[in-house]
Amino acid sequence: MAGMAAAILLAESGKHVVILERQERIGKKILLTGNGRCNISNTDMDASNYRTDDAVCLKRILEHCTEKQEAAFWQSLGMAVREVKGGLYPETNQAATVLDCLRFRIEELGIRVCTDAYVTQIRGSLGHFMICRKDAEGTEKTEEGYTQILLCCGGLAGVYKEAEQNGFGIVRGMGHAIRKGHPALVPVTCSEDMKAIAGVRTQAKVTLFQNGREVLADTGELQLTKEGISGIPVFQLTRYLDDIKNSRFEVDFLPFLTEEELPKHLNERTERMRERSMEQFFAGWLQKKLTLYLLKRSGIRAEQKPKALSEKQLLRVVREMKHCSFTPVALGNYRQAQVSVGGVPLSEVDEHLQSVKVPGIYITGEMLDVTGACGGYNLHFALVCAMTAVQGILPSP
Ligand SMILES: Cc1cc2nc3c(=O)[nH]c(=O)nc-3n(C[C@H](O)[C@H](O)[C@H](O)COP(=O)(O)OP(=O)(O)OC[C@H]3O[C@@H](n4cnc5c(N)ncnc54)[C@H](O)[C@@H]3O)c2cc1C
């Protein structure tokens, strides 16, 4: 995204641009995004939607692309955009539209696109860069004549030919640090036996605790799988799951009831449903599979009657439903992930994303240590980076 957008903006300003892409086609990842719908951005662009170690720099970068500028960019490509619950999508609801609009403009502008061109090293300095690249057969080639280079190699997530370094090897060769990370926006494997609830999808609040401290919470559709937990609220939290051994997730399966309201609701329910079984008692609050699972975790038999339980015992069951702990043992891999946490620290690029190690090299998008939430934040950041770098390369008007 960052590479194609920057190429278009530079070529429109009369710059001679070449795109080098390691895969056999450009923009393949875009087709996978947003479940094939491509969530390009969001109306809520608060910086808190991003994880980074340098919030001040991030805020400055985000300011390089206003809502108006973003809208103008898509409009200039002829792409109509629509909003769904704050998320921005192509009007056609198809990721292919986004890629087509970018590709057609790239063709129109006569931008040279070299595919199967895996860049492994960059040598030289501002105005005189040399690029070493390998083709699909592994044959190496060195090309000269590049004055400035935008590195838009993405992170480690998604589908690539093999788990290689993408652009991280190149920047490491230039002396850049790479903040260590992990896959994110990805399912989590848990140690609990999940077989009984696999396949359940339910609205829940999920909170991540690390070393005993609450890190972040998110509410949305939780998906329970054979292996563990998944779905948007879990994805959001995986961006912060750095210390898996000392972490736990707490799931509130009754997010519509506050802690204070619990005793009152429970009393009312017990009054009306005293003769039911515990399994039937929770019908209307929880899906049956979940009720059975959570009763088992609380050591209560499904056929027991609520009247046989003390108020304290009942409250304990409901508290288990609101504070159900899951122990993570592994994050999904990079292939399953939507993004990778980590990357080049923002302190190693200037306000226009130019490398402080090698002037003339710009580092963009997911290569940087900025990880957006689900909801269009990562593609938006890639576009912001393209605009930021291009504003730095082009002389000010
Ligand atoms: C399944 C999935 C769904 C997603 N859905 C969304 C969504 O709906 N909304 C959202 O905001 N984000 C989404 N993301 C995340 C988003 O796609 C990325 O964060 C974003 O594309 C990053 O943009 P980028 O320009 O930095 O890099 P990328 O878009 O990843 O592009 C990098 C390009 O560089 C090429 N490349 C890498 N290394 C080299 C090299 N050494 N030489 C030559 N070429 C190289 C790659 O092949 C690739 O084409 C999703 C990701 C995945 C995997």
Side-chain angles (χ1 to χ4, degrees):
M1 174 61 88
M4 288 188 286
I8 290 170
L9 295 168
L10 287 167
E12 283 176 343
S13 297
K15 289 272 179 191
H16 178 62
V17 188
V18 180
I19 297 178
L20 298 167
E21 166 56 54
R22 67 177 291 188
Q23 303 206 67
E24 70 285 6
R25 280 196 296 143
I26 52 169
K28 267 176 84 173
K29 192 194 271 185
I30 287 175
L31 298 175
L32 303 172
T33 58
N35 278 330
R37 295 192 305 148
C38 191
N39 185 185
I40 49 169
S41 188
N42 203 289
T43 49
D44 166 22
M45 261 312 147
D46 196 85
S48 63
N49 290 299
Y50 291 94
R51 179 187 179 176
T52 180
D53 277 356
D54 201 333
V56 177
C57 277
L58 173 67
K59 269 194 186 148
R60 268 208 312 266
I61 296 169
L62 291 175
E63 280 163 14
H64 283 102
C65 173
T66 61
E67 210 179 306
K68 233 173 150 179
Q69 282 169 306
E70 183 171 21
F73 176 75
W74 294 115
Q75 207 176 358
S76 76
L77 301 187
M79 193 179 89
V81 174
R82 69 165 166 161
E83 187 205 318
V84 182
K85 292 184 191 158
L88 301 180
Y89 297 84
E91 187 62 53
T92 60
N93 228 6
Q94 287 194 328
T97 299
V98 178
L99 182 54
D100 282 347
C101 289
L102 289 160
R103 263 189 333 111
F104 296 157
R105 188 74 188 127
I106 284 170
E107 278 171 29
E108 249 162 36
L109 289 163
I111 295 171
R112 195 178 129 217
V113 177
C114 306
T115 50
D116 287 318
Y118 178 26
V119 177
T120 52
Q121 205 190 0
I122 293 170
R123 296 202 292 261
S125 56
L126 178 65
H128 308 280
F129 286 114
M130 239 186 306
I131 286 181
C132 308
R133 62 169 162 124
K134 277 189 209 165
D135 66 17
E137 278 76 47
T139 312
E140 291 190 30
K141 185 174 168 184
T142 303
E143 275 181 347
E144 293 184 43
Y146 294 95
T147 53
Q148 282 144 312
I149 295 176
L150 272 84
L151 288 171
C152 310
C153 304
L156 300 176
V159 182
Y160 288 108
K161 284 178 181 164
E162 66 286 315
E164 283 194 29
Q165 285 289 298
N166 282 332
F168 290 130
I170 305 171
V171 283
R172 201 174 275 125
M174 292 172 175
H176 277 287
I178 313 284
R179 197 155 280 148
K180 213 170 156 290
H182 53 77
L185 307 190
V186 75
V188 178
T189 304
C190 297
S191 63
E192 286 75 16
D193 182 355
M194 309 287 289
K195 279 196 286 295
I197 43 172
V200 168
R201 287 167 176 246
T202 186
Q203 197 69 15
K205 178 180 173 197
V206 187
T207 309
L208 170 65
F209 288 88
Q210 217 150 241
N211 294 306
R213 271 188 325 109
E214 179 177 332
V215 180
L216 194 72
D218 199 77
T219 303
E221 191 188 64
L222 172 72
Q223 295 177 24
L224 299 156
T225 68
K226 279 204 308 294
E227 293 80 25
I229 53 177
S230 185
I232 304 284
V234 174
F235 285 4
Q236 306 290 38
L237 304 186
T238 54
R239 291 178 300 142
Y240 294 88
L241 192 55
D242 299 336
D243 185 0
I244 211 159
K245 280 202 188 107
N246 295 305
S247 299
R248 69 182 183 90
F249 287 95
E250 196 175 277
V251 176
D252 178 356
F253 286 106
L254 302 170
F256 51 90
L257 291 179
T258 65
E259 210 73 50
E260 299 72 49
E261 288 171 339
L262 261 188
K264 183 176 137 268
H265 282 287
L266 206 55
N267 282 338
E268 280 172 15
R269 213 169 175 86
T270 321
E271 282 297 303
R272 275 185 282 121
M273 303 175 185
R274 299 173 60 77
E275 297 304 325
R276 287 190 181 182
S277 65
M278 284 301 283
E279 179 188 334
Q280 292 168 344
F281 183 75
F282 288 107
W285 273 5
L286 281 171
Q287 295 178 30
K288 186 172 161 183
K289 265 189 181 178
L290 265 180
T291 303
L292 295 175
Y293 173 81
L294 293 166
L295 286 175
K296 196 169 169 199
R297 274 184 70 145
S298 313
I300 302 287
R301 281 180 293 112
E303 62 281 7
Q304 244 173 306
K305 291 202 187 296
K307 65 179 182 188
L309 299 176
S310 68
E311 202 181 319
K312 230 171 155 184
Q313 276 176 310
L314 262 180
L315 208 56
R316 217 177 42 231
V317 176
V318 182
R319 289 242 153 85
E320 170 69 16
M321 293 170 171
K322 277 194 84 61
H323 301 274
C324 187
S325 208
F326 290 94
T327 317
V329 288
L331 277 164
N333 58 29
Y334 281 116
R335 223 163 248 280
Q336 297 167 297
Q338 291 189 16
V339 285
S340 48
V341 171
V344 177
L346 292 183
S347 55
E348 297 199 0
V349 289
D350 73 8
E351 59 173 320
H352 285 291
L353 309 181
Q354 183 168 211
S355 158
V356 296
K357 308 271 178 195
V358 186
I361 300 285
Y362 294 78
I363 305 170
T364 69
E366 218 181 298
M367 292 188 78
L368 293 168
D369 181 26
V370 176
T371 313
C374 281
Y377 293 98
N378 290 295
L379 286 171
H380 172 81
F381 184 66
L383 179 61
V384 170
C385 286
M387 290 193 179
T388 308
V390 168
Q391 285 164 29
I393 291 169
L394 298 175
S396 351

